[in-house]
């Protein structure tokens, strides 16, 4: 999931990355949040919060909303377990 643009993964990508994720600990910053199924959608997604420890490569469009968030969902490329969040560009 992109920090600024939550989206779902294809089933194969989700299965491949699931073993690399760590369940959220108490006090996760997104506890209690809800996420929509798409831009302007009222449908809510069921999510499982995880610790923000896995770096992934994504593709994004250049469109941003007034708050600076990506307007379109990120496109999954691959997990990068060889990198850590502190050493990766935001």
């Amino acid at each position: 999931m992109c920090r600024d643009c939550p989206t779902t993964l294809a089933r194969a990508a989700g299965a491949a990355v699931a073993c690399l994720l760590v369940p959220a600990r108490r006090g996760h910053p997104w506890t209690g949040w809800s996420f929509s199924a798409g831009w302007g959608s009222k449908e809510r997604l069921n999510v499982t919060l995880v610790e923000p420890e896995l770096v992934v490569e994504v593709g994004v469009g250049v469109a941003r909303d007034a708050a600076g968030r990506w307007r379109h969902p990120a496109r999954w490329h691959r997990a990068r377990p060889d990198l850590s969040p502190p050493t990766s560009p935001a």
Side-chain angles (χ1 to χ4, degrees):
M1 180 180 305
C2 177
R3 178 181 64 198
D4 295 330
C5 49
T7 189
T8 57
L9 292 176
R11 188 174 302 270
V17 77
C19 64
L20 302 172
L21 300 175
V22 176
R25 295 178 191 99
R26 174 174 272 162
H28 189 284
W30 289 356
T31 299
W33 285 35
S34 63
F35 300 93
S36 69
W39 190 261
S41 172
K42 294 188 187 297
E43 180 184 353
R44 298 290 175 210
L45 294 175
N46 292 322
V47 300
T48 300
L49 297 177
V50 297
E51 286 300 308
E53 299 171 347
L54 178 65
V55 175
V56 300
E57 289 182 13
V58 297
V60 295
V62 296
R64 292 183 179 239
D65 66 13
R69 296 174 298 222
W70 299 112
R71 187 169 172 131
H72 303 287
R75 292 173 310 283
W76 167 266
H77 288 292
R78 66 182 176 139
R80 293 295 307 267
D82 56 314
L83 300 175
S84 67
T87 63
S88 301

